[in-house]
Amino acid sequence: MKRKFLFGVVALGLVTTFALSTQAQEKKKESIGKKIEKTADKVGNKTAEVAVKGTSKVGDKTWKGKMAPDGSDVYINSKNRKYYVNKRGAKVYLKASQIRTRPEKKD
C-alpha cells in the first residue's frame, strides 16, 4: 500500500513538473514573437522615414535656418505648406508658431 502511494505521489510530481515546463516554453515563444514584431515595426518605420525624407529633399524645398519642434528639418511643398517628417515616416504639417529658428553651430 505504501509503495503504491509513494509511486502515485512521484507520478503526480512528474506530471506537474512537465505541465509547468510546457507552459514556460510557450511563454518564451510568445516573447520571441513579440520581439520579432517590435523589430519589424522599427525597421518598417525607419524605412518609411528614410523614403519620405528622400522624396521630400528631392521634390520639396528645405527651409534653411529653421527647425521643427523635434529638431528635424522643415520642408516646404508646392502649396507653400510647411511640414516635417516624424519617426514613423509621416508628414506632420506645422503652424507658424511651431517653427523655430535653428541655433548656429559654434566652431
Side-chain angles (χ1 to χ4, degrees):
M1 183 75 173
K2 289 182 183 180
R3 192 177 231 187
K4 288 183 181 180
F5 180 73
L6 183 62
F7 182 71
V9 170
V10 171
L12 182 63
L14 289 175
V15 170
T16 305
T17 304
F18 180 73
L20 291 176
S21 67
T22 304
Q23 288 178 351
Q25 290 174 356
E26 288 176 8
K27 289 180 182 177
K28 288 181 183 177
K29 288 180 184 177
E30 288 178 1
S31 65
I32 291 172
K34 288 182 181 180
K35 287 181 183 178
I36 291 171
E37 183 179 353
K38 287 180 183 179
T39 304
D41 286 341
K42 288 179 185 178
V43 170
N45 289 340
K46 190 64 174 178
T47 303
E49 180 185 3
V50 170
V52 173
K53 281 187 177 181
T55 304
S56 296
K57 285 190 186 269
V58 172
D60 296 332
K61 295 179 184 178
T62 303
W63 197 356
K64 294 183 180 178
K66 299 293 181 178
M67 68 179 188
D70 68 346
S72 61
D73 293 334
V74 176
Y75 301 100
I76 305 171
N77 66 6
S78 61
K79 296 180 181 179
N80 203 26
R81 293 181 67 193
K82 287 83 174 171
Y83 68 92
Y84 73 99
V85 179
N86 67 4
K87 298 282 183 188
R88 292 186 172 189
K91 293 180 181 180
V92 178
Y93 291 95
L94 299 168
K95 297 176 186 176
S97 61
Q98 293 175 311
I99 300 171
R100 300 178 184 166
T101 304
R102 187 177 297 275
E104 303 239 349
K105 293 182 181 177
K106 295 181 181 178
D107 291 330

